[in-house]
Structure formats: C-alpha cells, structure tokens
Amino acid sequence: MDWRTKLLDPKPYARRDYTSLATPVFRGSTVVFEDQAAVTDDWRQAQNGYSYGLYGTPTALELAARIAHIDGGRETFIVPGGQAAIALIYLSYCTAGSHALVPYSAYGPNKAMAEGLMRGLNVDVQPYDPLIGADISDLIRENTTLIWCESPGSVTMEIQDVPAIVRIAHAKNVAVALDNTYSAGVMFDAFAHGVDVSMQALTKYVGGHSDLLLGAVSARDNAAFAKLGPIYKQLGLAVSPDDCSLALRGLQTLAVRLDALERATLEIARWLVAHPLVDEVFHPALPSCPGHDIWQRDFQGSTSVFSFTFNATVSAKQVTQFVDALKIFKIGLSWGGVNSLAVVYPNLERPDRDFAGRIVRLNIGLENPSDLIKDLSLAMPST
Ligand SMILES: *Cc1c(COP(=O)(O)O)cnc(C)c1O
C-alpha cells in the first residue's frame, strides 16, 4: 500500500473498548455499511441503525435519548437551536390553509415566524391572550391544527393554564405544542400535563454557559413522532457533535445550577418588590405574577428569568440609564448562563398594555447575590 493510501485508511488500530464517564464526540458524515444490501437512508437511526451523520452521530443520539428520558417522551430530536425547534413544530403541524394559535406573550421570533414564513405559506397564525384558559374553545376553527403554549411567557411572564387548554384542544382533535425553555424541561412536566410536543432551547439552561446553540423537540407519543420525523429529515437539521457533547456535560450540573439560580433569583426579586421605585415584579413565585396560582399548582420551581416595571415617577430615559449604569449585570439577550444580564424592552407591545419603556428583564447568574443587589442599588435612578 502506498503511504498516500495508508493515510486514508479508516480502519481503527487503537483498541475501541474505552469506557469512561464522558460521552465520546463522534464526528462523521458518511456511515460505512457492511455491504451494499445494508445501504439505507433512514433517519430513524435509534431504531434501525446508523445511515448518515445528518440524522445524528452517537453523540447527538445520546443527548436526544437522555432528554427524551427526562421529558418522559417517546423520542427527542436535537436541532440547531430553539428557533429551529419552533420551525420544525410549525412545519410539521401546519400546511397551506391551516390555522394555528400562539399566545401574544410568546418568544418574539416565534411570532415573527408566524407573521413571516408561515403567513407566506398560507398558514394563518392568530395571537391569543395567554391567560385565556378554557375559553380557547371560542378561537378553535375547523382548520385549526396547532395551539402553541409558552408558560411563563417571554418578558411579561404570564403563566398559562396548559391543562385547561390541552383539554379543550384534544376534545377538538388539535395538537398542543409547548415552549418549555423557561423550565429547562424539568420545572414543568409537559407530558404529564397533556402536551403533545415539547421543545426547549438547550442554548439556555442545559448548555448553561452561553457557549453553544442547540434545541430539542420531544414527541409525546407515536402520533407526534410520526408528524415530526419526516419534516426533521426533509429540513436537514444537522447539529454539531461538539455542541451536543457540551450539552451532555451541561446536563450533569443542571440540577445544582438550577437550585442556586432559583435561590438567588428569588432573593433579588424580593429585594426589587421592596424598592420604592419598582412598580410590579413579574416572577412566577410571587403573587404579582399573572397566573401565579397556576404556577403553584403545576410547577416544581422557578428559574432565573423575570421582569419588573419601574413606577411612573421614572422616565423611559432613566430606565435606559439604569441598565447602562449596571456593572456586574451585562446587557444582552438570551439567558440561562452563569452571568447576570439585564435588558430594557423599550417597544414591548401587548394588546392590553403600554409599558412605556419601563419594563426591564433580568437573568440572574451565579455571582454572589449580595453583589448583584449592590449593583442594582447603585444603578437605581435618583428621583
Ligand atoms: C432563547 C429562546 C428560544 C430560541 O432559542 P435559540 O437557541 O436562541 O434559537 C426559543 N424560545 C424561548 C422561550 C427562548 O427564550
């Protein structure tokens, strides 16, 4: 064999019986088959064997299996990000002429997809009041195929009565999808509450260190799996095994991080409640959060994201100056990492309310909460 050929020989020479506590990072696009008869292009690799890296190497399938196990679902698809997870669900459950419902408190890019891509495909996505509960019945049409829930909602933090919505939806044969990112898939048990498809941005708590982008879509049962699978294959939602490896590592410390984040976040939320310039604090564990009683009924705990409003003595300009004056809190989107973040939503639109640039969202990180409170305190406007 020429040395050039030797360089390309894929045959393993080292022993392969290495057992460690870490999941190996398997890279690879091509899968080598035993013989021609074994060649397939089957995305159901967990059942039928490996066929192509696009449908996940063993690293991605390990992550998928672990998330499915935690969620208690039939199967999980790992996708390039939370937004890709949202796209997979829309495109699996809606076709031209479908009607879908999305809470007006949903993650902004979800609503952007509803009004952009989905509208262009002749799918009518209608916003609804997140606190609607069983009255969702009035909005379901003959052609409704999907109801989104997101609880708590993005920025305004409304807790939804998911079981009530599921009850009505299932009576009318409509599927319910949940964006379960706030709960890291664990603080709210999506499938125990009847949801058909649960997704989360692994970018947030599972990644946990602001250094990767991934999403997960979990199917409750065979029906949801059969809807999602073919579209997952057609979209070619490839993920990096390196990112999956980081997410697998993140799972190992998710519980201790969530415990610490919950404690610190509550301490800071309660400090804000007592501050004379603060009007409302939208933290699920506080009675001032819309739907707090439902949170108490349905959730195992709270996490690190919440919002608050300044009272009317504080101008929108002072709110911006407050955020700019923070030193430990960084200004940024996304959340779930180790650093505390703050951001103003100057143009937040809700049908029933104008926040007039006075709503700030915080993500609490793993810094000492006393330092964070000092940071907030020093940045507060002087009135
Ligand atoms: C961040 C986020 C997403 C999107 O996740 P990416 O991985 O950033 O695409 C979706 N839903 C919610 C509620 C989020 O907070």
Side-chain angles (χ1 to χ4, degrees), residues 214-239:
L214 275 179
V217 177
S218 295
R220 170 198 187 75
D221 53 19
N222 285 331
F225 182 58
K227 278 265 190 210
L228 294 161
I231 307 300
Y232 163 78
K233 181 186 180 188
Q234 288 168 48
L235 289 174
L237 296 168
V239 296

Side-chain angles (χ1 to χ4, degrees), residues 81-83 86 107 150 154 179 181 201 203-204 213-214 335:
Q83 184 66 3
I86 290 168
Y107 178 62
E150 184 181 321
S154 284
D179 187 331
T181 301
T203 307
K204 307 286 166 58
L213 290 148
L214 275 179
W335 37 269

Side-chain angles (χ1 to χ4, degrees), residues 277-299:
L277 294 180
V278 170
D279 186 15
E280 295 150 297
V281 179
F282 301 132
H283 182 296
L286 299 179
S288 48
C289 191
H292 164 72
D293 50 328
I294 295 168
W295 175 82
Q296 271 188 318
R297 186 191 68 189
D298 293 348
F299 282 66

Side-chain angles (χ1 to χ4, degrees), residues 360-383:
V360 177
R361 185 180 73 182
L362 300 181
N363 168 65
I364 305 306
L366 293 174
E367 306 93 339
N368 186 320
S370 309
D371 286 336
L372 294 173
I373 287 172
K374 212 179 297 163
D375 197 26
L376 293 168
S377 182
L378 290 172
M380 282 287 174
S382 42
T383 50

Side-chain angles (χ1 to χ4, degrees), residues 100 104 120 138 144 174 180 189 220 280 304 308 319 344 371 375:
Y104 59 62
D138 301 336
T144 307
V174 179
N180 208 19
D189 187 337
R220 170 198 187 75
E280 295 150 297
S304 69
F308 68 96
V319 176
V344 187
D371 286 336
D375 197 26

Side-chain angles (χ1 to χ4, degrees), residues 60-327:
L61 262 57
E62 185 64 38
L63 177 62
R66 288 183 193 220
I67 303 261
H69 190 51
I70 295 162
D71 280 352
R74 158 76 172 77
E75 189 110 1
T76 295
F77 298 92
I78 304 298
V79 299
Q83 184 66 3
I86 290 168
L88 172 58
I89 293 169
Y90 267 125
L91 294 169
S92 299
Y93 281 88
C94 303
T95 53
S98 297
H99 172 250
L101 290 161
V102 66
Y104 59 62
S105 52
Y107 178 62
N110 179 324
K111 293 184 286 182
M113 187 174 296
E115 286 154 25
L117 180 64
M118 299 317 289
R119 177 169 294 173
L121 295 172
N122 194 26
V123 174
D124 178 9
V125 188
Q126 182 186 346
Y128 72 89
D129 178 349
L131 300 174
I132 197 166
D135 288 340
I136 194 99
S137 185
D138 301 336
L139 302 182
I140 295 175
R141 303 180 195 162
E142 202 60 32
N143 58 339
T144 307
T145 55
L146 176 67
I147 299 174
W148 272 105
C149 291
E150 184 181 321
S151 178
S154 284
V155 191
T156 39
M157 306 298 292
E158 297 89 344
I159 314 294
Q160 296 199 263
D161 193 343
V162 173
I165 291 172
V166 164
R167 214 154 38 239
I168 302 289
H170 286 178
K172 301 194 179 201
N173 237 337
V174 179
V176 177
L178 174 72
D179 187 331
N180 208 19
T181 301
Y182 171 89
S183 290
V186 292
M187 292 302 182
F188 179 83
D189 187 337
F191 296 134
H193 289 97
V195 166
D196 299 283
V197 186
S198 178
M199 53 86 27
Q200 64 164 313
L202 302 174
T203 307
K204 307 286 166 58
Y205 293 117
V206 171
H209 297 77
S210 313
D211 56 3
L212 66 91
L213 290 148
L214 275 179
V217 177
S218 295
R220 170 198 187 75
D221 53 19
N222 285 331
F225 182 58
K227 278 265 190 210
L228 294 161
I231 307 300
Y232 163 78
K233 181 186 180 188
Q234 288 168 48
L235 289 174
L237 296 168
V239 296
S240 152
D242 296 286
D243 290 343
C244 292
S245 160
L246 289 173
L248 283 161
R249 176 199 287 217
L251 283 177
Q252 295 173 329
T253 56
L254 181 63
V256 285
R257 285 186 286 110
L258 288 178
D259 285 348
L261 292 173
E262 177 172 42
R263 242 180 291 120
T265 304
L266 269 167
E267 186 179 336
I268 289 155
R270 291 197 175 110
W271 180 83
L272 283 164
V273 167
H275 196 281
L277 294 180
V278 170
D279 186 15
E280 295 150 297
V281 179
F282 301 132
H283 182 296
L286 299 179
S288 48
C289 191
H292 164 72
D293 50 328
I294 295 168
W295 175 82
Q296 271 188 318
R297 186 191 68 189
D298 293 348
F299 282 66
Q300 317 264 344
S302 57
T303 57
S304 69
V305 189
F306 71 102
S307 302
F308 68 96
T309 57
F310 280 101
N311 67 32
T313 67
V314 179
S315 70
K317 188 167 167 232
Q318 284 175 305
V319 176
T320 305
Q321 287 168 341
F322 160 77
V323 168
D324 287 342
L326 293 166
K327 299 226 157 34

